[in-house]
């Protein structure tokens, strides 16, 4: 009767479908959604999925970048170019209190920098624009405590996360109802792994920041990790000399807090090959994680994404 | 550095071969504490190369610290997540893990074996294609094994593995394995699970997990990994069923385009197909599949946007079906409910029910029985506690499209939401419609609500007086009705005591009876508003959720909640009927304010402070408020 009516979906098709389903559910039920855009590969995938989910309409929400002012310069250029290319509204929020204090990860330490510029900055932006649902690109495979996080994560009016009071998620039914002042963080990529993200980027030819590809870059070695000297705000110790090494980044954040890895993978294929063969987890590249056991959990309860 | 700025973006070269195309299978693991679940999952992650070096290093350090496995890795330590849980040394809740084989990506829902966590297991099971039920080879089938198996069969998981673990501790005994297998098959026959496979293994040593065991040459079946790689995925089964898609979102970028976005939950669709939209029943054809990457067929599991050939009125929640095999439409069901909240489910109380993309109001009518999950016994019940499972009637405020749960979980599975806390409090499975509404339409009555109201030349509404006994509800309501009568208004006063003598004389004062009491009165009030009357309701109505239910029955602006705000001490000192004294002496129980709670309204339309206003003044101010709201034109 009909031509080929049967086909088995691939894991990427299933994941894509699920993410799109989640996004549409939020748009249908939330009053004022926003997409957190951090410029990294996960954000790139999430944005790409949003373009598909609402096509031919543009995604019916703006992008929000909570800017610590310490991102790599390439990230800023990529961010602005992407918003322009896709015709998306981009809101950039920098915590004015942090700016007034001239917060820097070098002088104030990574914990305080992250708390003020990222955690507090995010709360300010959500409150200021009255966003009641915010998409984030976090995945459950990133970190132990995320494995139990729901796709829809409810936050109190104070943006606190209560791990004991999360709603069960059954089938594909998401309960998005909330009281006034409460908000939801929604993670459409919950079930994706780092491999899935890379494979999807390749399959869909999604543009990403070239920092993910290896290239000679000026770096210094500190506490056993390579930090790129991205601008002249970086104080060098006496005698410390940036050296050019062929490096790339597995995750992107504030440049002083992001470790580079030495690599020859200067094409996407090579990066994927290296990632698939890799035996270290990407979070190793994030300096903020090494504080204390369960540190991510604490940050989350305080309102970190 | 400056060269970097010139090329901030990279785009992948198309390399389709490099992308591994795998299938996706979701499974659930369940077992009692210490059966070896964490060890098994840890080994699957390890053996499939899903653990990173740094994770393995941390694990090695942790293993040495805990010292349970000598120099070997203790995989059980890998899976702990939240700090508090780690301290308690148990996993509670559902955690999701990921690994892949060369042919499949796996999502594991890891749920605990703990007694009280039916809720978590059902949650994990709801998305699983298969379940692994762990058994300690030394212990045999336990109560928990029975419970897990029942829940797995209830949720309709079609593939079940009985993983007989710790075979190393029973000398890899074939006889022991065969005995357990036989015991289990005897028990499971009652449950109607489609397919059961039994595998003897040692999670600790690795036998039959990913490699065939040399210790058990007598076993010729698949390893666990081979099994997981070979069973079919549920969505592929559903792809062979009739087409269904709930409309999630209507896509209208401009007046020329109207698309219906949703996830196909069964069957397939292509351009030109004749479809029926439910519950309206209108038929039309598929004009195009918009987001279908060039293919002209879309199948179950895909999120798509469809356009139709006719301008049909479709909104979020409607279901687009194959025209020749549409879903059913009904507003009354029998179904199974799994209760997931500390506050018990009560008969007569109303909840929000979400199914597909539609949310409606549901009232729980009789609970036929609840199930003892350990013995499968059916027990009479009038409420369900946390983690209890019952079969009950469910009435909706409007008809929905559905298929029975065992035909399609996505068309027959629903969640219940508390209207006040917004918590997800229950999960349910529709079995069948109690009254088919396919052909039953609301009688289009010619003399309708508007005609009734017009004849009386007034706007009907409900004035809902709530407050403690002795707060002055009846006094004020009576006086107000006299005034309305004198003004030539058509009204009626429903008073708690009077209604309890007649319509509600079968009800007592237990929480569940109070809920039913208010439900009936609210329905009567609704009919009276329909008849065009200004309806005064004077009931203690102590629970917010019932007042909310009453409010939701009326149209916007019709429900005026009047809160008779009187402190308990004042009401008690008035004690017009001597009831407080009796309650204090213990002669009446469940008395509001004494041993039964009163939940004050948070946002009443009108609040009467009876400690400062006289009854006459209260009536005057209520009349002013009604005028202000345009209800006394
Ligand atoms: N001898 C033996 N011990 C096992 C096996 N599987 C698990 N164990 C041990 O049983 C204990 C409980 O295992 P765990 O994985 O934490 O169980 P869970 O509570 O089901 O997650 C641990 O000490 C494991 O090392 C097995 O196949 N053989």
């Amino acid at each position: 009767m009909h031509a080929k009516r049967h086909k088995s979906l691939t894991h990427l098709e299933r994941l894509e479908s699920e993410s799109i389903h989640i996004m549409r559910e939020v748009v249908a039920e939330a009053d004022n959604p926003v997409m957190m855009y951090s410029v990294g590969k996960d954000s790139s995938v999430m944005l790409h999925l949003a373009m598909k989910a609402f096509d031919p309409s543009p995604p019916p929400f703006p992008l929000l970048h909570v800017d610590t002012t310490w991102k790599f310069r390439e990230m800023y250029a990529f961010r602005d170019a992407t918003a322009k290319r896709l015709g998306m509204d981009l809101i950039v929020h920098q915590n004015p209190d942090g700016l007034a204090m001239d917060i820097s990860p070098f002088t104030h330490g990574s914990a305080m920098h992250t708390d003020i510029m990222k955690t507090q900055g995010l709360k300010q932006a959500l409150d200021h624009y009255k966003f009641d649902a915010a998409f984030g690109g976090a995945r459950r495979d990133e970190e132990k405590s995320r494995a139990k996080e729901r796709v829809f994560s409810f936050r109190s009016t104070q943006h606190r996360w209560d791990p004991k009071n999360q709603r069960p998620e059954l089938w594909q039914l998401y309960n998005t109802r909330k009281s006034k002042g409460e908000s939801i963080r929604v993670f459409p990529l919950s079930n994706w792994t780092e491999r899935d993200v890379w494979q999807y980027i390749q399959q869909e030819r999604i543009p990403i920041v070239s920092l993910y590809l290896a290239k000679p870059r000026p770096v210094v070695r500190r506490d056993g990790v390579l930090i790129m000297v991205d601008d002249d705000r970086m104080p060098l110790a006496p005698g410390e000399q940036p050296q050019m090494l062929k490096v790339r980044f597995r995750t992107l954040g504030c440049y002083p807090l992001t470790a580079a890895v030495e690599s020859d993978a200067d094409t996407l294929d090579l990066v994927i090959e290296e990632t698939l063969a890799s035996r270290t987890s990407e979070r190793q590249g994030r300096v903020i994680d090494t504080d204390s056991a369960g540190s991510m959990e604490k940050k989350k309860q305080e309102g970190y994404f | 550095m400056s060269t970097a700025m010139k090329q901030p973006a990279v785009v992948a070269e198309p390399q389709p071969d490099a992308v591994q195309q795998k299938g996706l299978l979701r499974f659930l693991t369940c077992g009692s504490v210490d059966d070896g679940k964490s060890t098994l999952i840890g080994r699957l992650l390890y053996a499939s190369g899903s653990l990173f070096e740094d994770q393995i290093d941390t694990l090695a350090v942790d293993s040495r610290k805990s010292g349970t496995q000598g120099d070997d890795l203790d995989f059980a330590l890998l899976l702990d997540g939240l700090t508090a849980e780690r301290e308690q040394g148990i996993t509670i809740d559902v955690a999701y893990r990921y690994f892949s084989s060369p042919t499949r990506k796996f999502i594991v829902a890891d749920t605990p074996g703990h007694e009280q966590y039916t809720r978590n297991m059902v949650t994990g099971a709801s998305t699983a294609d298969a379940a692994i039920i762990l058994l300690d080879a030394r212990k045999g089938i336990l109560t928990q094994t029975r419970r897990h198996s029942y829940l797995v069969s209830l949720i309709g998981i079609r593939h079940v593995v009985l993983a007989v673990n710790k075979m190393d501790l029973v000398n890899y005994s074939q006889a022991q394995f065969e005995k357990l297998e036989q015991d289990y098959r005897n028990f499971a026959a009652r449950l109607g699970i489609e397919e059961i496979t039994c595998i003897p293994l040692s999670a600790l040593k690795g036998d039959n997990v990913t490699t065939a065991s040399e210790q058990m040459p007598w076993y010729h079946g698949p390893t666990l990994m081979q099994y997981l790689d070979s069973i079919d995925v549920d969505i592929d089964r559903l792809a062979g069923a009739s087409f269904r898609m709930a409309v999630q979102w209507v896509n209208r970028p401009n007046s020329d385009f109207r698309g219906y976005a949703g996830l196909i939950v069964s069957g397939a669709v292509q351009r030109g197909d004749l479809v029926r939209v439910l519950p309206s029943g209108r038929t039309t054809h598929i004009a195009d599949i918009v987001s279908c990457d060039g293919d002209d067929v879309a199948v179950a599991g895909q999120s798509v946007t469809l356009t139709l050939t006719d301008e049909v009125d479709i909104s979020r929640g409607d279901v687009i079906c194959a025209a020749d095999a549409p879903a059913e439409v009904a507003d009354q069901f029998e179904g199974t409910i799994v209760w997931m909240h500390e506050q018990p489910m009560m008969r007569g109380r109303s909840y929000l029910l979400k199914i597909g993309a539609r949310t409606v109001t549901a009232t729980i009518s009789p609970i036929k029985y609840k199930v003892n999950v350990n013995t499968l016994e059916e027990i009479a019940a009038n409420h369900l506690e946390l983690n209890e499972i019952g079969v009950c009637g469910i009435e909706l405020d409007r008809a929905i499209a559905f298929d029975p749960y065992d035909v399609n979980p996505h068309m027959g599975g629903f969640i219940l939401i508390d209207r006040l806390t917004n918590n997800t409090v229950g999960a349910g499975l529709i079995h069948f419609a109690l009254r088919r509404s396919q052909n039953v339409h609301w009688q289009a009555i010619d003399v309708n609500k508007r005609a009734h109201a017009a004849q009386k030349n007034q706007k009907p509404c409900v004035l809902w007086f709530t407050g403690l006994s002795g707060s002055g509800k009846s006094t004020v309501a009576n006086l107000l009705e006299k005034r309305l009568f004198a003004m030539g208004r058509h009204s009626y006063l429903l008073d708690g005591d009077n209604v309890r003598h007649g319509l509600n004389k079968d009800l007592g004062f237990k929480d569940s009876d109070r809920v039913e009491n208010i439900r009936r009165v609210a329905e009567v009030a609704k009919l009276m508003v329909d008849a065009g009357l200004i309806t005064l309701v004077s009931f203690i109505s102590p629970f917010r959720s019932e007042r909310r239910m009453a409010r939701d029955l009326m149209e916007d602006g019709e429900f005026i909640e009047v809160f008779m705000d009187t402190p308990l001490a004042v009401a008690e000192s008035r004690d017009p009927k001597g009831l407080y004294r009796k309650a204090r002496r213990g002669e009446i129980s469940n008395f509001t304010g004494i041993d039964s709670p009163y939940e004050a309204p948070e946002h009443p339309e009108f609040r009467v402070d009876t400690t400062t206003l006289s009854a006459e003044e209260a009536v005057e101010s209520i009349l002013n408020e009604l005028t202000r709201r345009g209800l006394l034109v």
Side-chain angles (χ1 to χ4, degrees):
Chain A
M1 172 178 67
H2 290 292
K4 192 178 75 141
R5 298 214 79 158
H6 249 77
K7 59 180 175 194
S8 265
L9 301 181
T10 66
H11 70 296
L12 293 179
E13 286 173 310
R14 296 272 305 276
L15 291 171
E16 173 187 81
S17 248
E18 179 184 68
S19 303
I20 289 176
H21 174 78
I22 292 165
M23 290 184 188
R24 288 170 171 174
E25 207 55 18
V26 172
V27 161
E29 297 205 339
D31 292 329
N32 191 16
V34 66
M35 179 169 279
M36 309 292 306
Y37 181 70
S38 71
V39 202
K41 62 184 189 308
D42 302 307
S43 283
S44 297
V45 165
M46 190 163 63
L47 181 54
H48 179 82
L49 289 164
M51 299 303 293
K52 281 195 163 188
F54 303 101
D55 180 62
S57 295
F61 42 75
L63 301 178
L64 170 64
H65 182 219
V66 178
D67 181 16
T68 61
T69 74
W70 287 91
K71 302 291 164 189
F72 292 87
R73 289 186 295 158
E74 270 190 48
M75 290 172 72
Y76 291 115
F78 180 84
R79 176 194 73 189
D80 296 340
T82 300
K84 194 156 164 225
R85 175 171 60 86
L86 300 177
M88 294 287 292
D89 277 345
L90 170 70
I91 299 170
V92 175
H93 180 81
Q94 301 173 338
N95 181 351
D97 309 336
L99 293 181
M101 289 162 69
D102 213 1
I103 288 284
S104 138
F106 295 114
T107 42
H108 298 86
S110 70
M112 185 167 173
H113 166 76
T114 305
D115 177 58
I116 293 186
M117 296 312 287
K118 219 169 153 175
T119 309
Q120 304 305 329
L122 172 63
K123 291 189 209 172
Q124 282 171 349
L126 295 181
D127 288 342
H128 179 261
Y129 296 98
K130 299 197 166 33
F131 292 124
D132 64 340
F135 293 109
R139 310 184 316 265
R140 291 197 185 114
D141 81 324
E142 275 177 71
E143 207 264 342
K144 267 187 185 180
S145 80
R146 289 243 190 241
K148 293 168 192 201
E149 172 102 59
R150 304 294 190 274
V151 176
F152 283 69
S153 178
F154 289 79
R155 306 300 162 101
S156 69
T157 28
Q158 282 77 43
H159 299 281
R160 287 189 76 90
W161 178 71
D162 175 6
K164 294 233 155 58
N165 195 17
Q166 299 287 307
R167 298 171 183 175
E169 290 174 344
L170 293 111
W171 300 290
Q172 288 145 345
L173 295 173
Y174 299 102
N175 170 6
T176 66
R177 299 178 69 88
K178 58 194 169 335
S179 306
K180 217 170 139 66
E182 289 175 351
S183 59
I184 329 175
R185 312 285 162 88
V186 185
F187 304 108
L189 304 185
S190 285
N191 282 326
W192 295 60
T193 61
E194 189 189 8
R195 286 173 191 219
D196 299 328
V197 165
W198 280 117
Q199 290 180 344
Y200 191 69
I201 286 171
Q202 189 180 45
Q203 173 184 294
E204 302 283 306
R205 308 186 58 207
I206 300 170
I208 49 168
V209 190
S210 66
L211 289 160
Y212 286 113
L213 304 193
K215 193 177 113 147
R217 295 185 169 97
V219 293
V220 292
R221 192 177 293 277
R222 286 188 184 173
D223 301 329
V225 294
L226 294 171
I227 302 290
M228 178 170 160
V229 184
D230 193 49
D231 59 36
D232 52 20
R233 289 181 295 176
M234 177 147 174
L236 295 176
E240 196 176 38
Q241 267 294 331
Q243 51 178 148
M244 294 301 278
L245 286 179
K246 197 163 180 189
V247 294
R248 65 181 179 86
F249 297 87
R250 268 180 88 178
T251 85
L252 292 176
C254 296
Y255 81 79
L257 301 177
T258 308
V261 288
E262 281 192 84
S263 164
D264 279 325
D266 49 12
T267 67
L268 199 70
D269 292 337
L270 290 174
V271 169
I272 290 171
E273 209 174 281
E274 236 178 54
T275 306
L276 297 190
S278 165
R279 316 277 11 215
T280 57
S281 65
E282 62 187 318
R283 285 222 156 230
Q284 275 216 316
R286 295 194 194 166
V287 179
I288 63 160
D289 269 2
T290 53
D291 301 358
S292 71
S295 69
M296 178 58 93
E297 234 160 86
K298 258 187 265 147
K299 287 202 184 63
K300 248 176 12 191
Q301 293 189 13
E302 285 154 13
Y304 181 80
F305 214 78
Chain B
M1 269 185 282
S2 58
T3 49
M5 303 298 288
K6 284 195 204 111
Q7 38 136 287
V10 275
V11 176
E13 291 305 309
Q15 290 261 341
D17 296 346
V19 178
Q20 291 166 290
Q21 299 294 355
K22 301 184 181 192
L24 174 65
L25 185 98
R26 304 183 66 137
F27 68 90
L28 163 80
T29 54
C30 30
S32 310
V33 180
D34 279 350
D35 280 351
K37 202 157 44 70
S38 313
T39 309
L40 180 65
I41 299 173
R43 177 163 292 280
L44 284 169
L45 298 186
Y46 180 74
S48 63
S50 309
L51 295 183
F52 293 117
E53 261 165 24
D54 45 316
Q55 289 174 301
I56 296 174
D57 291 347
T58 315
L59 179 61
V61 174
D62 289 352
S63 301
R64 244 170 280 129
K65 239 189 278 171
S66 80
T68 47
Q69 297 306 327
D71 283 341
D72 291 340
L73 296 177
D74 184 353
F75 292 116
L77 298 177
L78 194 68
L79 301 185
D80 294 326
L82 304 179
T83 319
E85 297 170 18
R86 195 170 349 174
E87 278 159 13
Q88 289 165 28
I90 44 163
T91 27
I92 50 173
D93 225 317
V94 189
Y96 294 91
R97 322 275 173 198
Y98 306 86
F99 69 97
S100 30
S101 72
T103 54
R104 268 187 182 164
K105 169 184 167 105
F106 296 99
I107 303 180
V108 191
D110 179 11
T111 58
H114 243 257
E115 190 93 26
Q116 60 270 47
Y117 291 108
T118 294
R119 153 188 148 136
N120 296 335
M121 216 196 105
V122 167
T123 303
S126 72
T127 52
D129 300 295
I132 300 179
I133 296 179
L134 259 95
L135 202 63
D136 184 327
R138 296 168 303 176
K139 294 187 189 154
I141 295 164
L142 305 177
T143 304
Q144 275 101 316
T145 318
R146 294 203 187 91
R147 173 167 57 237
H148 295 152
S149 305
Y150 167 68
L151 294 175
V152 157
S153 73
L154 176 75
I155 297 303
I157 296 182
R158 288 176 154 72
H159 304 282
V160 172
V161 190
L162 182 75
V164 181
N165 189 33
K166 307 199 183 179
M167 287 300 292
D168 54 309
L169 297 182
V170 295
N171 290 321
Y172 298 103
S173 155
Q174 178 174 10
Q176 175 68 359
F177 172 73
E178 283 173 354
K179 176 183 173 304
L180 292 176
E181 167 160 20
Q182 202 48 55
D183 286 354
Y184 187 74
R185 288 193 188 277
N186 289 343
F187 156 74
R190 297 159 66 187
L191 298 175
I193 295 171
E194 207 159 278
E195 181 248 5
I196 296 173
T197 302
C198 301
I199 307 180
L201 46 84
S202 168
L204 190 67
K205 312 266 181 218
D207 299 83
N208 286 335
V209 179
T210 53
T211 48
S213 169
E214 285 173 14
Q215 309 291 335
M216 292 179 276
W218 45 265
Y219 173 74
H220 302 293
T223 63
L224 184 61
M225 198 62 216
Q226 283 169 341
Y227 172 85
L228 291 171
D229 262 335
S230 65
I231 50 176
D232 54 303
V233 179
D234 207 43
I235 200 74
D236 290 342
R237 175 185 69 88
L238 287 169
S242 303
F243 173 67
R244 306 276 186 267
M245 185 192 95
V247 174
Q248 266 189 293
W249 188 70
V250 180
N251 192 342
R252 288 216 72 178
N254 55 56
S255 55
D256 297 336
F257 184 92
R258 186 190 275 265
Y260 302 97
L263 175 63
I264 301 175
V265 295
S266 67
V269 68
Q270 68 183 11
R271 204 173 298 166
D273 280 358
L274 184 64
V275 290
R276 189 181 303 272
V277 182
L278 296 177
S280 78
R282 287 284 311 268
T283 56
T284 177
H285 290 87
I286 301 291
D288 206 358
I289 306 172
V290 180
S291 35
C292 196
D293 289 342
D295 261 345
D296 51 2
V297 180
V299 299
Q302 280 182 296
S303 283
V304 294
T305 300
L306 303 176
T307 57
L308 304 173
T309 52
D310 302 287
E311 283 250 340
V312 199
D313 186 22
I314 300 180
S315 51
R316 169 168 163 86
D318 288 350
V319 179
I320 304 179
C321 303
D324 56 356
E328 292 180 57
V329 173
D331 61 1
Q332 276 189 30
F333 305 96
E334 181 168 307
T336 297
I337 291 181
V338 181
W339 198 247
M340 303 189 150
H341 204 264
E342 286 78 11
Q343 274 219 325
M345 177 186 93
M346 279 196 261
R347 132 168 219 201
R349 182 159 274 186
S350 76
Y351 300 93
L352 295 174
L353 179 151
K354 183 168 184 183
I355 180 167
R358 177 137 291 164
T359 304
V360 295
T361 297
T363 308
I364 309 300
S365 47
I367 303 178
K368 264 177 91 175
Y369 56 84
K370 64 182 182 189
V371 180
N372 176 326
V373 293
N374 297 327
T375 61
L376 308 189
E377 233 179 316
E378 296 171 3
I379 308 160
N382 63 0
H383 69 279
L384 292 182
E385 306 269 351
L386 173 64
N387 289 321
E388 286 191 329
I389 298 175
V391 171
C392 29
I394 302 147
E395 285 173 32
L396 307 184
D397 64 339
R398 58 197 278 209
I400 54 161
F402 77 100
D403 288 308
Y405 180 87
D406 59 3
V407 172
N408 186 341
H410 306 290
M411 288 291 295
F414 60 85
I415 54 172
L416 293 172
I417 300 169
D418 185 279
R419 325 166 67 104
L420 285 173
T421 62
N422 292 324
N423 280 325
T424 302
V425 290
L429 330 169
I430 294 179
H431 300 319
F432 49 81
L434 286 172
R435 184 186 72 198
R436 264 156 238 274
S437 5
Q438 255 143 333
N439 312 309
V440 191
H441 291 285
W442 178 249
Q443 272 290 319
I445 305 169
D446 293 333
V447 181
N448 59 15
K449 181 171 175 178
R450 195 178 306 157
H452 284 299
Q455 183 195 43
K456 298 179 182 63
N457 197 17
Q458 66 182 25
K459 284 202 176 158
C461 64
V462 177
L463 291 158
W464 190 283
F465 290 82
T466 171
L468 295 168
S469 175
S471 61
K473 294 184 299 296
S474 301
T475 314
V476 173
N478 261 306
L479 211 55
L480 178 62
E481 195 182 23
K482 279 191 202 154
R483 288 288 301 275
L484 289 169
F485 191 84
M487 293 160 71
R489 305 291 166 170
H490 301 261
S491 63
Y492 194 80
L493 169 59
L494 290 162
D495 187 86
D497 291 345
N498 301 342
V499 174
R500 276 195 174 275
H501 283 128
L503 176 64
N504 289 356
K505 72 173 163 204
D506 57 327
L507 299 176
F509 291 88
K510 295 197 308 270
D511 282 0
S512 54
D513 283 354
R514 286 180 185 272
V515 170
E516 176 63 11
N517 184 33
I518 299 303
R519 189 191 68 78
R520 291 185 197 169
V521 172
E523 290 288 356
V524 171
K526 182 185 161 79
L527 292 175
M528 292 196 161
V529 167
D530 230 44
L533 298 175
I534 297 176
T535 311
L536 294 83
V537 178
S538 167
F539 272 66
I540 296 175
S541 44
F543 301 142
R544 263 177 221 139
S545 63
E546 273 64 55
R547 295 193 304 263
R548 176 68 169 270
M549 178 267 299
R551 176 185 295 273
D552 288 351
L553 281 177
M554 313 301 162
E555 287 174 24
D556 280 352
E558 271 179 5
F559 188 85
I560 310 293
E561 188 170 14
V562 181
F563 175 33
M564 300 300 289
D565 194 357
T566 309
L568 178 63
V570 176
E572 190 168 353
S573 69
R574 292 180 189 155
D575 207 5
K577 299 174 209 157
L579 294 173
Y580 282 99
R581 256 167 291 143
K582 282 194 189 163
R584 288 292 182 196
R585 286 201 300 266
E587 290 164 25
I588 354 182
S589 56
N590 296 324
F591 194 76
T592 301
I594 307 294
D595 58 349
S596 183
Y598 179 77
E599 300 168 359
E602 280 165 342
H603 308 288
E605 273 71 13
F606 201 76
R607 189 179 147 269
V608 177
D609 180 348
T610 67
T611 57
T612 57
L613 286 188
S614 69
E616 288 75 16
E617 288 167 335
V619 166
E620 207 54 50
S621 54
I622 294 171
L623 285 170
N624 287 339
E625 175 67 15
L626 293 180
T627 310
R628 197 184 68 74
R629 288 179 179 267
L631 288 166
L632 280 185
V633 281

